[in-house]
Amino acid sequence: MTKDDSLTHHQTRLDELESRIAYQEHWLDSLDRAVATQEKRLAQLERLSELMQQRLRDQQRAMQDDDHGAGFRPEDEVPPHY
């Protein structure tokens, strides 16, 4: 192999490596953006879940307060056919 052939071979190999690195950097950036989007969405869903849990606790507390305050008992309820 001559000196020029060797240089051409090395240049071709270097070009291929640079191309592969550029491709990998592109996909790394794409994946980074996707992960950031997913983290943001997950934070929103976690916040929504917290709010829903709080509302359920508030509703349960309100129902318990109504039951105790009004003296409601299930056996006092009129059957649906009356």
Side-chain angles (χ1 to χ4, degrees):
M1 188 179 270
T2 67
K3 190 174 182 181
D4 287 339
D5 289 341
S6 178
L7 185 58
T8 302
H9 172 74
H10 289 300
Q11 184 62 43
T12 302
R13 182 73 177 136
L14 182 60
D15 291 343
E16 290 172 358
L17 290 172
E18 287 175 346
S19 177
R20 290 174 78 187
I21 289 172
Y23 180 76
Q24 289 174 352
E25 286 176 345
H26 168 75
W27 278 107
L28 185 59
D29 289 342
S30 296
L31 290 172
D32 187 47
R33 284 191 303 275
V35 168
T37 300
Q38 292 297 319
E39 286 177 349
K40 186 177 183 181
R41 181 68 178 144
L42 181 59
Q44 291 172 339
L45 291 172
E46 286 173 340
R47 179 66 182 141
L48 180 60
S49 176
E50 290 171 11
L51 292 171
M52 291 174 68
Q53 289 176 15
Q54 183 60 45
R55 285 192 88 179
L56 283 172
R57 283 191 292 270
D58 292 346
Q59 288 177 349
Q60 288 173 340
R61 198 173 304 117
M63 288 175 59
Q64 288 174 352
D65 290 347
D66 286 346
D67 289 348
H68 292 112
F72 173 79
R73 297 181 313 181
E75 59 268 17
D76 291 339
E77 185 175 333
V78 176
H81 61 277
Y82 284 144

